[in-house]
Amino acid sequence: MKNLNARAALTDKVVIVPLLLLFALIGSLPFIYLVAISIKTPVDAFAMPPSLLFQPTFASYLQLLHDGQFGQYLWNSVVVTGAVVLISTIIGALGGYGLARYGGLSSFTLLTVVLVLYSLPRSAVLVPFYQLSQASGMYDTRVLLILVMVAVNQPFTVWIFEGFFREIPRQLEQAAMIDGCNRLQAFIRVVLPVAGPGLATTAIFSLLFAYNEFLLPVILAGPESSTMPVLVADYAGSSDLRHWPLFAAAAVAVALPLIIVMITCQKFIVRGLVSGAVKG
Amino acid sequence: MLRDKRAGRPRLATDQRSRWYWMVPLLVLELMGCAGCVKAPAGQNACGLPEPAVPTKINIISYDSPGMPFFGDQMARCSYGRLQIRHQMLPFDALVNQATISMSSSSRSPYHIVHVYDQLLVEWAGKKWLAPLDDLITKYWTKYRLYEIPTSVWETMKVNGHIYGIPAIQNPEIFVYRKDLFAKDGLVGPRNIADVSRLCDALQSKESSRYPLVMMYSKMSDHIAYEFNNMQHSLGGRLFGKDGSPRFNDAVSVNALQTMVSLFKKCVHPNAVNFTVEDALVGLQQGQFVMGVLWMNNTPQLDDPTASKFAGKFGFLPAPSACDGCAPVGYWAQDSWAIPANAGVDRELLFQVAMEGTSAENQAQASSLTLVTRPRVAGIERSPYWQAGVASIERGAVGFERQPYAYLAKDVIVRYGIDALLGKLSAKEALERAAGDYWRAMHEEDFIK
Amino acid sequence: MTRKEFAAFIAPCVVLTATLLVAPVIYTVYLSFHHLSFGGHPQFVGWTNYQVLLGDDQVRGALIFTLAFVLLSLPVHTILGLALALMLERVGDRLRGLLISAYAMPFIVTPVVGTLVFSWLFKDFWGIVPYLLDKVNVHILWFAQPWAAQTMVILWGIWWTFGFNVMVLYAGLQTLPDDHVRAAVVDGASYWQRLRYIILPHLMPFVLLISLFNVIDGFRVFDSIWVMTKGGPGTATESIGYLTYRVSFVLRQLGKGSALAVLSIVGTFLLISPLLVARFRGQERD
C-alpha cells in the first residue's frame, strides 16, 4: 500500500502537476502577452523570437493615469457593474424564490425559457434596444445601461436561484412565519442567509458579465456613460503600433480587479456551483 | 510639436487633478476621485462662440485616424457656460454601426458631429442622413479661411452637387521600401506595377526573401475592394455604368484582378488575404517585408525607433501605376467632419464648433501627425511621407467610386476577389459572380425599380 | 405560497424581462417577415426572407462551419475540462485556487481583448505558435488556409470554454458522496473502474448542463470571429452569428438579418433538443 502511495505521489509530481500548469499557462497566455506588450516598446514587443532582455518601461501606465477618459470610463464601469450585481441578485433572488415555492412552473420549463432568451443573437437586439433608449429618453445614461444589463442577465440569475431555493426545505421559512414573520421577512431573515453560496455565485457571474460586456454599451452609451471595454476596444482599434503599449496597459488594468476577485472568490464560486440548479 | 495624438490630448487642469488622485494607492479612492474629473472646466470662452440661450450638449465621435481625434479634442475645448461639448472615440466598426443606427432613426441623433471618410460620406449623404453645408461654407468662407483648402479637396466632399463634409485630413496610399536594401542591391524605386514585379524577382534572389512585397489584398476593412478599384481605375476602367449596372466584370476589370492575382502569387505573403494594417506594419518594422503599398498616415511609425527596427532606412514614393502615364494604383481617402441631418442642434453652431477644432492653427499643430487639408500649414516639406502622398494625389489617385450603392459592390468584390486570390475561382469567374450577386442586391435594395 | 405573494415576488423580473427581452424577440420575429433597410419603412414580404436565406450558399456555408465549430470543440473542451477537474483533486488547496483562476483567465480578460490577443499568438512572424511550429518544421498559414483558420477558431472555442467546464465539473466532483467511493475502494475497484461506474455517472447532469450552454454559445459565436478573422479567409470562418451581423449591419438588410436570427434560434433548439430531452428524463427519474 505504501509503495502504491509513493507511486501515486510520483505520478502527481511528474505528470499531473506539469499538465495542470501547462493548461494554466495556455489559459493565461494572452494575459501574459498583454503584460509583456504593456512594458515593452513596440519594437521589442513584436520581435520573434520574443526578446527576453529588454528595458521595461511603465510609461504607458503613467500615460493611462493622465488620460482623463480612463478614470471616467472606469468609474462608469464600477457604478454600472455594482448596480447590475446588486439589482440582478435582488430581483433574481425574489423571482427565483417565488418560482421555487409556487408550483406552477417546473424547473425544466424555466430552463427552456431561459435558453430561448439566451440563444437570441446579440446583433438582433441592438436596433430594438437603441429605439427603446431613444423612446424612453434614457440614451447614454448609466440607468439605462444598468436596466438593460440586468434584463439580459435576468433569466440566467432567476434560474440559478430557483435551483438553490428549491433545495432549501420549506419548513425553514414556515417556522419563521409561524413566529409572526410575513413571507418577505421570512425570506430575508431565514432563507437568504442559508443561500450564501448561491448569492456569491450569481453575484460573480453577474459581475463578470456586466464588467466585460462590450456590445451593449457601444450601442446604448455615449460619452457620458460608456464603460471600460469600449475604451479598451477603442485603444485596440489603433493601427499605430506606438499606441499598443497603452492599449495593453489599459487591458491589464481593467482585468486586474477581476483577477483579484477570482483568486479570492473561486472557493465560493465552486461551493455555489455545487448546490442548486446546476446539478439538475 | 505633437508626437502622437494621445500625447496631443488637451492638457487641462483636470490632468493635474487626476494625477494627484492616482497617487493614492487604494483603487476605490481613485475611482471616487476620477468621478470628479469629468466635469467640463468652467473657464473662459476659448473659441469665442456665442453661448446658446438654452443648455446645449454637443457630442462628437471619431475613430482612430491620425489627427482627427486631436481636432475632436480641440472642439471639446470650446465648451463654455451653457455650451457643453464632448468628444468620444470609438472603434471604427462600432462608429459606423452606431452612426448608422442613430442617423437612420426617426428620433434625434445623439451625435452631432461625426468623423467620416469618403465612402461613408457618399453613402450617408446619398441616404439624406447628412446635412448639406453649402450655405455655411459660403458664409464662413473668409472667417475660417476655407479658401485655403484646395478646390480638388472640396470636390471630394460633394454628393449630388452639395457639400456634406468639412475636409480635415487627406490620406493617400504610398509606396514604402527599404532604402538600405535597395541601395545595396542597386535597385531603384518602381514607377509601375511591372517594375514592382521585377523588384520582386531581384529581392527574392538577392535577399532570399520569399515574400518581399506586402499589399493589402485583404478582407479586413474591405481592403481588397479598394485595391481592385485602384488597379482598375489606373487601367482606365469604371465600376458602374450610368444606370448603376456593373462594369467591374468587363475586360479591363478582369485584367486588373488578374494582375493582382499574379502579383499576389508571385511575391505577397499568403496571409495577406486576411492582413490587418498592423500585420503589414509589423512585418515592415521587424524586417520581414522589404516594400509595400500602405496608407500614408500609417507610415510615420516606420521611422520611429521605438516601433521600428529600421527607423531611418525607409524610403517613400508615390504609389506605382498600372501602366506608364496612368494614375497611381493607390487610394486617396479624405477624413472629414459631417453633421447628421437629425442632429437637433443649431446647424450653424455645430459648423462653427467643427471649424474651431479644425482651424488653420490646429491643423498646423497636427501637421506632424498627418497630411492636413490646408497646404499652407501642411508641413509637406518636413516629411518624406507627406511628399510621397501629395505626389500620389497629384498623379491622379482617386477613392472608391462615389455612388450611394457602391457598398453593395464592395461587399461582393471582397467576397469573390478573395476567392480569386485563393485560387478557387479564375479572375473572370470571380467578377462574373460578383456582378451577378451585385445586380440582384441592387434590385432587392430598390436601387433599380 | 399564495398566488398574490407569488405575483409580488416575480413581478420585478417579469416586468424587466418582458419589456427588455421578450419585446425585442417579438420585434425580431415581426421584422423577419419584412423588408427593411436602415431609415426605411418595413414592407411586408411574407416568407420571402426565409426562402431566400434557405436557398443561399453563404447561409449553407456558415451553417456547416458553425456546426463544425460546435461539434468539434464540444467534446474536446468537455473532456479536457473533465480531465483537468479530476486532476485538480490531487493537488493542494492553494495551488488549486491559483490554477482555477488561471483557467478562468479567458473569460476574465475583457473578451474582445483576450480574443484579439489570442489571434496574435497565431500571427506569422510575430506570434509564438508559428514560431514554435517552425522549430519542428511545420508551416501553417493560419490566416490564409481555410482549414487552418477554421482550426484556429475552433482552438479559440476550446480555449475560451475549458476553464468554465473545469469549474463546474470540479464543483460537481465535490458533491460525490464519500461513502460511495469508499465502498468501491473497499470492494477493490481500480481507479478506472471507479471513474467509469461511479464518478462519470454522477457527473452526467453537470456535463449535460454545460453542454447545453456551450452548444448555444458556440452556435451564436460572433464577436470573436469579428475580432479574429472577419470571417476570412474568404468566407471560411463565417459563422451564422457573424453572417447575421453582416447581413444586418454591413449589407443593411435588417429584415433578412432578423430572419436569420430567428432561424438561428430554431437551429439552436434543434441542436440542443437531444440534450434537453436527456436532462428532462434525468429529472423525471429523480
Side-chain angles (χ1 to χ4, degrees):
Chain A
M1 202 66 188
K2 201 181 161 199
N3 191 16
L4 208 68
N5 277 345
R7 224 171 70 193
L10 192 69
T11 345
D12 281 6
K13 273 208 188 97
V14 178
V15 183
I16 291 184
V17 173
L19 262 178
L20 286 170
L21 287 175
L22 174 70
F23 280 94
L25 179 71
I26 292 176
S28 39
L29 199 54
F31 183 74
I32 296 169
Y33 218 73
L34 279 171
V35 173
I37 291 175
S38 73
I39 57 170
K40 287 180 175 186
T41 52
V43 66
D44 287 328
F46 299 105
M48 191 48 68
S51 58
L52 297 173
L53 290 171
F54 61 94
Q55 189 70 42
T57 159
F58 295 93
S60 354
Y61 288 95
L62 289 176
Q63 209 179 331
L64 267 191
L65 312 187
H66 290 269
D67 192 330
Q69 272 190 43
F70 186 78
Q72 187 209 333
Y73 278 63
L74 196 54
W75 176 243
N76 285 339
S77 268
V78 169
V79 172
V80 170
T81 310
V84 170
V85 170
L86 203 67
I87 301 174
S88 270
T89 10
I90 293 173
I91 299 184
L94 290 174
Y97 178 71
L99 285 167
R101 287 295 183 263
Y102 190 81
L105 208 59
S106 80
S107 180
F108 179 77
T109 320
L110 180 64
L111 177 66
T112 314
V113 173
V114 169
L115 293 178
V116 172
L117 294 175
Y118 189 74
S119 61
L120 183 71
R122 230 6 113 60
S123 49
V125 295
L126 295 182
V127 173
F129 275 163
Y130 175 81
Q131 287 170 346
L132 205 76
S133 75
Q134 288 293 317
S136 62
M138 291 205 296
Y139 177 84
D140 193 17
T141 58
R142 292 194 283 244
V143 177
L144 175 76
L145 210 51
I146 292 164
L147 284 179
V148 169
M149 284 196 190
V150 169
V152 170
N153 194 25
Q154 205 44 213
F156 190 69
T157 321
V158 169
W159 170 70
I160 294 239
F161 270 123
E162 195 264 354
F164 277 113
F165 293 131
R166 196 178 280 267
E167 293 212 330
I168 296 172
R170 285 164 191 253
Q171 289 79 358
L172 213 62
E173 73 254 26
Q174 275 160 1
M177 284 166 76
I178 291 168
D179 288 348
C181 287
N182 66 25
R183 177 66 75 167
L184 188 65
Q185 286 167 331
F187 171 67
I188 294 172
R189 296 203 189 139
V190 184
V191 181
L192 266 192
V194 195
L199 280 172
T201 311
T202 37
I204 287 169
F205 278 108
S206 309
L207 176 100
L208 277 174
F209 160 74
Y211 192 76
N212 276 339
E213 175 62 28
F214 168 68
L215 273 179
L216 291 175
V218 157
I219 293 296
L220 298 177
E224 301 271 353
S225 60
S226 280
T227 51
M228 273 320 289
V230 179
L231 185 71
V232 179
D234 158 45
Y235 283 167
S238 172
S239 50
D240 194 332
L241 267 62
R242 290 170 296 183
H243 296 154
W244 282 16
L246 185 67
F247 149 63
V252 170
V254 172
L256 270 183
L258 278 193
I259 294 175
I260 293 168
V261 168
M262 202 61 188
I263 290 178
T264 45
C265 298
Q266 45 85 23
K267 259 198 190 130
F268 296 105
I269 306 181
V270 169
R271 212 178 296 157
L273 287 171
V274 165
S275 44
V278 181
K279 217 162 75 180
Chain B
M1 184 167 140
L2 297 172
R3 204 180 62 75
D4 63 46
K5 62 113 200 152
R6 297 221 187 269
R9 281 187 181 283
R11 295 268 164 268
L12 303 181
T14 52
D15 287 348
Q16 288 298 321
R17 254 203 292 171
S18 57
R19 183 188 307 178
W20 182 85
Y21 275 114
W22 279 100
M23 296 295 163
V24 183
L26 281 167
L27 183 72
V28 183
L29 278 185
E30 290 166 3
L31 299 168
M32 308 287 270
C34 271
C37 64
V38 302
K39 299 271 182 294
Q44 303 162 305
N45 188 349
C47 305
L49 293 177
E51 192 183 345
V54 288
T56 304
K57 278 187 184 173
I58 296 179
N59 289 331
I60 303 153
I61 39 173
S62 71
Y63 57 87
D64 198 329
S65 156
M68 294 302 273
F70 170 69
F71 298 140
D73 283 343
Q74 293 298 310
M75 293 177 203
R77 295 183 79 165
C78 294
S79 295
Y80 172 67
R82 287 183 290 268
L83 179 62
Q84 201 195 335
I85 307 173
R86 301 285 297 271
H87 168 225
Q88 188 191 17
M89 286 180 64
L90 284 174
F92 175 73
D93 295 300
L95 179 138
V96 174
N97 296 344
Q98 179 67 301
T100 305
I101 295 177
S102 53
M103 294 192 305
S104 64
S105 162
S106 52
S107 50
R108 284 179 180 180
S109 166
Y111 300 107
H112 309 101
I113 300 174
V114 179
H115 171 188
V116 296
Y117 80 108
D118 45 293
Q119 272 298 295
L120 293 178
L121 183 90
V122 169
E123 189 198 334
W124 292 351
K127 292 197 164 161
K128 306 225 181 323
W129 292 352
L130 301 178
L133 305 172
D134 309 78
D135 51 337
L136 295 169
I137 285 162
T138 316
K139 184 171 171 187
Y140 289 98
W141 189 254
T142 37
K143 183 179 178 203
Y144 290 119
R145 303 205 301 236
L146 292 169
Y147 49 82
E148 290 182 350
I149 299 172
T151 320
S152 58
V153 176
W154 283 116
E155 281 303 314
T156 64
M157 299 291 120
K158 277 189 186 165
V159 178
N160 300 326
H162 295 287
I163 296 176
Y164 288 93
I166 300 165
I169 296 297
Q170 310 191 59
N171 190 12
E173 283 184 317
I174 59 174
F175 182 82
V176 303
Y177 66 101
R178 286 277 298 284
K179 270 190 303 197
D180 54 335
L181 296 180
F182 271 48
K184 187 175 70 136
D185 299 334
L187 306 172
V188 289
R191 289 197 60 84
N192 53 42
I193 295 294
D195 290 345
V196 174
S197 177
R198 275 192 292 275
L199 283 168
C200 274
D201 291 328
L203 289 165
Q204 276 170 342
S205 61
K206 289 184 182 166
E207 297 297 330
S208 59
S209 162
R210 173 69 186 87
Y211 305 115
L213 175 69
V214 54
M215 296 295 281
M216 289 297 294
Y217 291 167
S218 167
K219 183 178 186 179
M220 295 285 177
S221 318
D222 300 331
H223 222 299
I224 185 175
Y226 299 146
E227 294 302 333
F228 170 74
N229 176 69
N230 299 339
M231 185 72 83
Q232 200 238 17
H233 169 78
S234 184
L235 290 167
R238 298 295 307 240
L239 291 184
F240 307 112
K242 277 230 155 42
D243 54 348
S245 59
R247 280 183 58 183
F248 49 84
N249 53 347
D250 62 10
V252 177
S253 307
V254 172
N255 183 14
L257 186 57
Q258 191 51 55
T259 311
M260 289 166 66
V261 172
S262 324
L263 204 56
F264 175 78
K265 290 217 167 113
K266 183 170 185 179
C267 58
V268 179
H269 194 285
N271 278 359
V273 291
N274 236 17
F275 262 7
T276 59
V277 178
E278 296 88 72
D279 291 316
L281 288 166
V282 172
L284 285 163
Q285 285 161 192
Q286 297 288 334
Q288 274 93 19
F289 307 135
V290 182
M291 57 185 178
V293 174
L294 287 180
W295 295 111
M296 178 204 66
N297 273 338
N298 290 322
T299 54
Q301 53 183 302
L302 297 177
D303 264 349
D304 185 331
T306 65
S308 169
K309 279 185 181 166
F310 303 95
K313 292 178 179 163
F314 282 98
F316 306 90
L317 288 172
S321 42
C323 50
D324 281 326
C326 48
V329 186
Y331 199 95
W332 176 27
Q334 305 86 27
D335 284 351
S336 59
W337 299 108
I339 296 173
N342 61 346
V345 172
D346 178 29
R347 198 169 50 102
E348 186 160 352
L349 179 65
L350 294 176
F351 180 81
Q352 286 173 289
V353 169
M355 274 327 304
E356 289 293 340
T358 323
S359 63
E361 293 72 34
N362 290 337
Q363 283 204 324
Q365 278 202 65
S367 69
S368 59
L369 307 175
T370 179
L371 185 58
V372 297
T373 46
R374 287 182 169 90
R376 183 176 65 83
V377 298
I380 291 164
E381 63 297 330
R382 281 210 300 271
S383 43
Y385 354 101
W386 304 170
Q387 285 170 19
V390 170
S392 268
I393 297 170
E394 280 169 355
R395 290 185 191 177
V398 292
F400 205 71
E401 290 218 31
R402 304 172 59 86
Q403 275 77 3
Y405 41 78
Y407 72 97
L408 291 173
K410 206 159 69 179
D411 181 69
V412 291
I413 292 171
V414 171
R415 214 174 117 199
Y416 293 108
I418 296 286
D419 279 348
L421 290 183
L422 292 176
K424 278 198 212 160
L425 298 172
S426 74
K428 188 163 171 48
E429 281 166 348
L431 291 174
E432 285 302 339
R433 288 201 195 179
D437 279 16
Y438 158 80
W439 197 232
R440 207 171 313 124
M442 285 289 276
H443 284 89
E444 273 179 30
E445 291 307 294
D446 294 333
F447 284 108
I448 306 287
K449 300 289 176 201
Chain C
M1 184 178 253
T2 62
R3 177 183 283 265
K4 229 169 130 188
E5 280 170 345
F6 173 66
F9 269 91
I10 64 159
C13 79
V14 166
V15 169
L16 256 184
T17 316
T19 47
L20 291 174
L21 274 183
V22 178
V25 174
I26 294 170
Y27 184 67
T28 303
V29 175
Y30 164 83
L31 272 191
S32 72
F33 293 102
H34 291 75
H35 174 82
L36 176 66
S37 197
F38 282 99
H41 296 284
Q43 296 163 292
F44 182 75
V45 292
W47 292 92
T48 315
N49 287 331
Y50 289 97
Q51 280 163 355
V52 170
L53 287 171
L54 289 174
D56 190 325
D57 289 351
Q58 287 190 78
V59 177
R60 203 172 310 133
L63 184 66
I64 290 170
F65 171 65
T66 311
L67 287 176
F69 174 76
V70 173
L71 298 177
L72 290 177
S73 60
L74 185 72
V76 180
H77 57 61
T78 309
I79 291 171
L80 185 62
L82 184 65
L84 291 173
L86 287 169
M87 288 196 272
L88 272 180
E89 293 224 292
R90 311 275 287 263
V91 299
D93 270 352
R94 189 167 297 173
L95 178 61
R96 181 164 53 227
L98 287 177
L99 287 171
I100 290 183
S101 308
Y103 300 151
M105 231 29 155
F107 54 90
I108 288 182
V109 178
T110 317
V112 271
V113 172
T115 304
L116 181 69
V117 179
F118 180 87
S119 75
W120 289 356
L121 301 176
F122 291 82
K123 296 280 190 180
D124 253 22
F125 307 135
W126 48 291
I128 191 88
V129 175
Y131 174 76
L132 291 178
L133 288 178
D134 192 54
K135 296 268 174 220
V136 291
N137 230 350
V138 174
H139 303 280
I140 297 171
L141 296 164
W142 293 101
F143 292 86
Q145 283 160 315
W147 70 267
Q150 289 167 342
T151 308
M152 181 180 75
V153 174
I154 290 170
L155 286 176
W156 171 85
I158 294 164
W159 172 78
W160 169 254
T161 318
F162 84 93
F164 176 73
N165 294 354
V166 172
M167 273 166 62
V168 176
L169 294 176
Y170 176 73
L173 280 173
Q174 306 312 301
T175 60
L176 193 66
D178 268 349
D179 39 347
H180 283 207
V181 182
R182 221 169 287 135
V185 172
V186 170
D187 288 348
S190 75
Y191 182 75
W192 295 111
Q193 283 169 327
R194 270 180 281 153
L195 187 65
R196 167 78 182 77
Y197 295 106
I198 299 174
I199 300 177
L200 285 186
H202 177 77
L203 285 181
M204 260 337 265
F206 292 89
V207 172
L208 262 182
L209 190 83
I210 54 175
S211 304
L212 273 175
F213 280 95
N214 289 340
V215 168
I216 296 179
D217 272 335
F219 202 81
R220 61 172 194 172
V221 60
F222 152 63
D223 322 33
S224 53
I225 287 173
W226 182 54
V227 169
M228 288 195 291
T229 64
K230 291 274 193 296
T235 50
T237 57
E238 262 184 18
S239 67
I240 290 286
Y242 184 82
L243 192 64
T244 309
Y245 165 81
R246 199 167 72 88
V247 169
S248 294
F249 285 89
V250 180
L251 298 177
R252 330 262 202 262
Q253 298 173 323
L254 286 173
K256 223 169 159 186
S258 301
L260 205 47
V262 173
L263 282 179
S264 73
I265 298 181
V266 174
T268 310
F269 270 83
L270 287 179
L271 208 57
I272 62 171
S273 52
L275 295 172
L276 272 177
V277 169
R279 184 170 167 97
F280 185 67
R281 289 224 181 103
Q283 282 187 340
E284 291 279 275
R285 242 197 333 269
D286 293 348

